[in-house]
Amino acid sequence: MNQKELKKALSKLPLGDVRYFDSIGSTNNEALAWATTDAKDLSVVIADEQTAGRGRLDRKWFTPKGTALAFSLILRPTAEEKLYLTRIVGLGALAVADVLRTRGLVAQIKWPNDVLLNGRKVAGILVESVWSGEEVDCVVIGIGVNVLKGSVPPVDLLQFPATSLEDALGQEVERGRVLHDILAGIIALRAHLGTDSFIASWEKALAFRGESVQAEHGDGSRVTGKLLGLEPDGSLRISNEDGKSVTVRFGDVRLRPHG
Ligand code: BT5
C-alpha cells in the first residue's frame, strides 16, 4: 500500500483530502488534529502501520505493518445528521459488515463497535468527536480491519478471539479494494442515517439477537438477558431475567454470550 496506489483505488469516491502514512501513532489522533483545522468533510487518514492504535478507553489496537487496514474518516455532520450522532458507530460497523457479506462471509456486529466473522473479531470501530462549545463540529470514524493473517494479535493479548479476512476466505485480499468498498458503503449508508430502515439493517446485523447475553459496564454492573434489538438512538434493548425490557447505553460496555 502506498499513496499512489491508494489515490488510484479511491479516485472515484467523492472524498475530501487523503493523507497516507507508512507508519503513524494513531490515525484517529491525526484525524482529530486535522479536524480542528481545515479538514474537509469525508477526508481520510490511512496508515500502513499504527504504533499506538487505540480502542475504547485507550485499550490497544494492533496494526502491524503491511497486514491490516487502519483508517479514520472525518465527517462534518449536517444539522440533520447531528440529531443522529449516536448512530454513527452503527454506520461504520454496518458498512464493514456489508462489505464482508458481499464477499460471501457471514459478518455480524457485536454491539456496539465490533465486527465478527464466525464469532471472532475481525474489525473494530472507534468514533470520536471534535466539539465547538456545545456543538459537534466533526466526527471521526476510526476503523481497523484485520485483512491478512499477520494482523491478528497473539491470543494472550486478547479478551475476545480474533480473525482476519484472509483466514475466513482462505485467500489473500487486497487492502485497497476493501478500503474503497467500506468508504463507498459509508457514503451510501450515510444518506439513510436518520431513517427507520437504517436501524432495521443495523439490528438485523447484530450478533446474538434473540440469544442470552451479558452486558458488563466498566463499573462492574451487569445486565443479563435476551438480546431484543436496538432503540432508535442505537442503544441496546435486552429483556432482563425478570422479563423487563432494559436499555443498555453506549459507554464502557462489554457484551458477551451468556449461559
Ligand atoms: C475497538 O476498541 O475495537 C476499536 C478499534 C478501533 C481501531 C481503529 S484503527 C484506526 C483508528 N485509529 C486508532 O487509533 N483506532 C482506530 P475496543 O472495543 O476497546 O477493543 C479493543 C480490544 O480489542 C483490545 O483490548 C484487544 O483485546 C482487542 N484487539 C486489539 N487489536 C486487535 C486486532 N487487531 N484484532 C482483534 N482484536 C484486537
Side-chain angles (χ1 to χ4, degrees):
M1 209 158 61
N2 60 47
Q3 176 103 25
K4 207 168 141 209
E5 267 172 37
L6 277 175
K7 280 236 156 102
K8 199 166 154 221
L10 305 180
S11 61
K12 299 231 162 69
L13 296 176
L15 298 174
D17 294 314
V18 176
R19 286 186 181 172
Y20 170 78
F21 297 83
D22 284 328
S23 182
I24 199 171
S26 151
T27 57
N28 258 39
N29 288 356
E30 176 71 20
L32 286 167
W34 190 11
T36 58
T37 60
D38 59 348
K40 295 183 207 138
D41 185 45
L42 291 175
S43 290
V44 199
V45 178
I46 306 159
D48 188 37
E49 173 190 49
Q50 291 187 118
T51 53
R54 294 186 290 111
R56 294 175 300 157
L57 294 168
D58 283 337
R59 289 190 201 111
K60 282 201 165 81
W61 182 262
F62 295 90
T63 314
K65 202 166 193 50
T67 59
L69 264 184
F71 65 96
S72 301
L73 177 68
I74 298 171
L75 300 186
R76 290 203 179 273
T78 61
E80 214 224 320
E81 286 170 343
K82 287 182 186 178
L83 303 173
Y84 300 105
L85 292 176
T86 54
R87 295 185 178 195
I88 287 183
V89 66
L91 180 64
L94 199 49
V96 173
D98 284 349
V99 166
L100 302 186
R101 285 171 180 188
T102 59
R103 285 169 164 74
L105 299 169
V106 182
Q108 290 185 308
I109 298 171
K110 182 162 89 72
W111 186 91
N113 66 321
D114 297 346
V115 180
L116 308 182
L117 285 179
N118 306 320
R120 294 170 169 266
K121 182 159 169 173
V122 70
I125 323 289
L126 179 67
V127 174
E128 298 181 298
S129 309
V130 175
W131 293 78
S132 218
E134 301 277 284
E135 280 272 300
V136 164
D137 205 22
C138 276
V139 179
V140 170
I141 312 180
I143 301 187
V145 186
N146 299 335
V147 179
L148 301 175
K149 281 178 196 280
S151 58
V152 179
V155 181
D156 53 325
L157 295 175
L158 296 174
Q159 296 158 336
F160 195 86
T163 191
S164 68
L165 245 89
E166 185 182 359
D167 279 319
L169 285 169
Q171 62 184 56
E172 284 200 14
V173 188
E174 204 199 313
R175 285 181 294 161
R177 191 75 234 160
V178 181
L179 174 65
H180 169 279
D181 293 353
I182 295 172
L183 289 170
I186 292 177
I187 292 167
L189 276 171
R190 181 184 185 181
H192 305 281
L193 188 70
T195 63
D196 292 345
S197 70
F198 177 86
I199 290 286
S201 308
W202 184 3
E203 201 166 56
K204 217 169 130 204
L206 288 181
F208 318 129
R209 219 155 48 112
E211 295 173 24
S212 186
V213 292
Q214 185 167 75
E216 183 180 345
H217 293 89
D219 63 6
S221 63
R222 291 173 184 166
V223 180
T224 305
K226 191 160 107 181
L227 195 158
L228 299 177
L230 297 171
E231 298 289 347
D233 70 351
S235 304
L236 196 66
R237 218 156 23 91
I238 290 180
S239 157
N240 75 8
E241 283 163 321
D242 303 328
K244 256 184 37 198
S245 176
V246 290
T247 302
V248 179
R249 303 204 181 279
F250 296 99
D252 181 21
V253 185
R254 281 222 313 251
L255 189 72
R256 66 183 89 161
H258 182 74

